[in-house]
Amino acid sequence: MLFISPRPLGSLLATGLLLSLAACSQAQSPKAPATAATRTGEQPAVLKGIQKHGFEVLGEFDAPGGLRGFAGVVGGQQPAAAYVTPDGKHVLVGSLFNENGEEVGAAALEKLAAKPMSDRMWNKLDASAWVRDGRADAPRVVYTFSDANCPYCHTFWEAARPWVDSGKVQLRHIMVGVIREDSPAKAAAILTAPNPSAALLENEHGFDKGGIKPASKLSPEIANKLNANQELMLEMGFQGTPGILFKDDKGMVDRLSGLPQGKDMERVMGAR
């Protein structure tokens, strides 16, 4: 699942300490008295320190041992839990486990951080400059960052035909121009065509012969769209094409970098 398991915020600020703290919590430490900040829902001032490191607080949840638990996102992408000590002066970021080895903040992270972030990502993809490949009413949507000159994108397009042609999957190609000098002009030719979907197919069917003819010029509008698509590709964690995003069985955004191999194809596209 994409972006669910915690990742380092500078090594996620001492997971080992959190494990020690979890062991202490098993002793049923009495809860600290509620402070004014706790009662009013104010965020402890100590959270400002980790916000400087890219931790965005999205919500608070119940935590054991007198701690206050906060669900957030690191670097705009990685859900993570932060635990503020009862005195409000220290904060630990990472995984906190109970005596059964269960991560106490997992459910809260999915509800307060992972799901909203997943929805936010999907909305950004939907708002990008993409070209539809497949039926508009297909039950499954898969986004892929595509360059008209990318051989791996073309191979993925070919491999996806059984799902797309059967109406099970709609591919949405988010066009970028990063592979060759004429990639932006080819992307422009597709995006500005009277029927962009047909232009995309023209490029793929003629790929081995050079693909679609590049546009003679890039309008400022198309250049801005391509720049925005490339920035989105980087934001989503991809350095090249294809970069593929889809939803898993729980409706959470998942991703795959590069050409799917083996069983990855069904993970992306669903059952054949």
Side-chain angles (χ1 to χ4, degrees):
M1 185 179 293
L2 174 65
F3 309 136
I4 299 304
S5 58
R7 290 287 184 273
L9 169 64
S11 296
L12 269 183
L13 308 180
T15 299
L17 288 177
L18 284 168
L19 290 171
S20 301
L21 188 56
C24 294
S25 72
Q26 294 171 22
Q28 300 299 316
S29 303
K31 279 193 173 183
T35 63
T38 304
R39 289 192 299 269
T40 61
E42 294 177 10
Q43 292 183 8
V46 69
L47 290 177
K48 294 180 180 179
I50 59 173
Q51 287 171 347
K52 295 178 182 178
H53 295 281
F55 188 100
E56 177 189 357
V57 177
L58 298 179
E60 184 172 1
F61 61 91
D62 292 334
L67 299 170
R68 292 180 68 184
F70 292 88
V73 178
V74 177
Q77 292 190 356
Q78 181 60 50
Y83 297 92
V84 175
T85 54
D87 62 8
K89 295 182 179 180
H90 301 86
V91 58
L92 305 171
V93 179
S95 300
L96 178 64
F97 297 93
N98 62 19
E99 63 272 18
N100 297 319
E102 301 165 335
E103 190 174 351
V104 301
L109 272 184
E110 181 165 341
K111 178 181 178 181
L112 298 175
K115 187 61 169 68
M117 189 188 68
S118 175
D119 293 342
R120 184 192 307 174
M121 291 171 58
W122 199 253
N123 289 337
K124 285 186 177 183
L125 295 170
D126 185 49
S128 64
W130 50 267
V131 179
R132 179 170 60 84
D133 175 18
R135 287 174 49 174
D137 61 349
R140 188 175 183 89
V141 171
V142 174
Y143 286 95
T144 176
F145 288 94
S146 299
D147 186 300
N149 285 316
C150 172
Y152 299 109
C153 299
H154 176 63
T155 301
F156 175 55
W157 176 86
E158 289 183 317
R161 290 308 92 196
W163 287 270
V164 175
D165 292 345
S166 67
K168 292 182 177 180
V169 174
Q170 177 195 149
L171 284 182
R172 293 181 176 180
H173 295 262
I174 303 175
M175 303 306 301
V176 295
V178 295
I179 300 295
R180 296 179 186 168
E181 187 176 352
D182 67 350
S183 287
K186 285 188 174 182
I190 294 171
L191 291 172
T192 60
N195 185 337
S197 294
L200 175 72
L201 293 182
E202 177 186 343
N203 182 72
E204 300 304 332
H205 286 306
F207 187 84
D208 293 337
K209 297 180 180 180
I212 196 169
K213 181 181 178 181
S216 58
K217 63 178 181 178
L218 255 67
S219 68
E221 179 185 4
I222 292 298
N224 288 337
K225 286 183 178 180
L226 291 176
N227 287 336
N229 281 357
Q230 186 171 345
E231 289 176 3
L232 182 61
M233 182 177 75
L234 295 173
E235 180 183 340
M236 295 294 168
F238 299 112
Q239 298 297 319
T241 54
I244 304 166
L245 297 108
F246 54 99
K247 288 186 177 181
D248 64 16
D249 293 339
K250 293 183 178 180
M252 303 290 288
V253 176
D254 201 348
R255 74 170 195 168
L256 186 72
S257 182
L259 181 65
Q261 302 291 331
K263 293 183 179 180
D264 281 340
M265 197 65 187
E266 287 197 2
R267 183 165 70 91
V268 171
M269 307 295 284
R272 189 165 177 170

